[in-house]
Amino acid sequence: MSIEEIVLEAEDRMEKSVTLLTDQLRGIRTGRANVGLVESVRVEYYGSFTPLKQLANLSTPEPQQILIRPFDPSVVGDIVKAIQTSDLGLTPNSDGKAVRLNIPPLSVENRKKLVGRVKDLAEEARVSIRNIRRDANKQADVEQTDKILTEDDVASCKDEIQGLTKKFEGKVNDLAERKSGEIMEF
């Protein structure tokens, strides 16, 4: 592998780690309603578990409410059941055509727990990024051993990988800070 290939593969994998963190953070409650809370709830629909966002139109008509309008009204009962069995802690209200979720305000204690969860997720993402750095550095060392890359090439490759690591760790830190700020907003 060339330096460019090693760096591109590492960058691609680090980007995927940041994307995963972004998706995970979207599902964490803040003080206001957000369709990201319920997008990934899996609903049993004709024998297979399907993400809610593929079965319904999700919206937030009010700051403290999520409205779920299924494309097929016969699935309302399944949506209600899926939300009740999820770990969201929300009680769905159904009128037979749509489901409404009222988002209660978070207590200070719950907000602090959620901020702790955000920090844990961010640390997992940082560890993932560092593991990718380690793998890329190992790949560069293997290429040097196989006489494909010179010692100087390996050093510059490791410098590029370290730069990527810092860049993506910065993105993780920014995401975590922003989400923690949203959670602690009153």
Side-chain angles (χ1 to χ4, degrees):
M1 285 179 107
S2 68
I3 294 173
E4 293 81 21
E5 290 171 326
I6 294 170
V7 171
L8 280 174
E9 182 181 331
E11 185 174 19
D12 186 47
R13 290 176 60 201
M14 288 179 186
E15 189 68 53
K16 287 179 182 174
S17 291
V18 171
T19 302
L20 176 64
L21 175 66
T22 304
D23 291 343
Q24 289 172 327
L25 292 179
R26 194 176 300 130
I28 293 181
R29 279 183 63 183
T30 58
R32 62 179 68 97
N34 177 0
V35 295
L37 289 173
V38 295
E39 278 181 344
S40 59
V41 170
R42 299 221 173 252
V43 179
E44 188 170 357
Y45 185 63
Y46 291 111
S48 66
F49 286 92
T50 309
L52 185 56
K53 66 182 176 184
Q54 292 179 6
L55 295 175
N57 184 10
L58 307 172
S59 62
T60 53
E62 298 173 24
Q64 299 295 319
Q65 187 179 80
I66 298 174
L67 178 62
I68 303 166
R69 284 203 172 103
F71 304 125
D72 176 7
S74 67
V75 77
V76 169
D78 295 328
I79 291 173
V80 169
K81 191 182 343 173
I83 291 170
Q84 288 172 337
T85 58
S86 71
D87 62 353
L88 292 174
L90 299 174
T91 306
N93 301 323
S94 170
D95 63 5
K97 295 178 187 166
V99 178
R100 292 181 188 276
L101 294 173
N102 291 316
I103 311 296
L106 292 168
S107 67
V108 174
E109 183 179 319
N110 284 343
R111 288 175 191 270
K112 288 180 181 175
K113 283 182 185 175
L114 290 173
V115 167
R117 177 75 178 129
V118 167
K119 287 180 182 175
D120 291 345
L121 290 172
E123 185 56 30
E124 287 174 21
R126 282 191 289 271
V127 167
S128 171
I129 288 168
R130 291 180 197 130
N131 287 339
I132 294 165
R133 173 185 62 191
R134 182 198 63 218
D135 294 345
N137 286 341
K138 275 187 187 175
Q139 182 65 40
D141 290 337
V142 166
E143 299 299 328
Q144 181 184 2
T145 306
D146 294 344
K147 305 275 190 237
I148 296 172
L149 296 178
T150 66
E151 197 172 314
D152 291 342
D153 289 341
V154 170
S156 70
C157 181
K158 287 183 177 182
D159 288 344
E160 282 187 54
I161 292 167
Q162 182 59 36
L164 283 176
T165 303
K166 285 191 181 312
K167 172 184 161 187
F168 283 100
E169 282 184 339
K171 286 183 178 184
V172 166
N173 293 339
D174 290 345
L175 286 169
E177 281 180 36
R178 196 173 320 124
K179 188 65 172 189
S180 295
E182 286 176 20
I183 292 170
M184 293 310 287
E185 252 178 37
F186 285 96

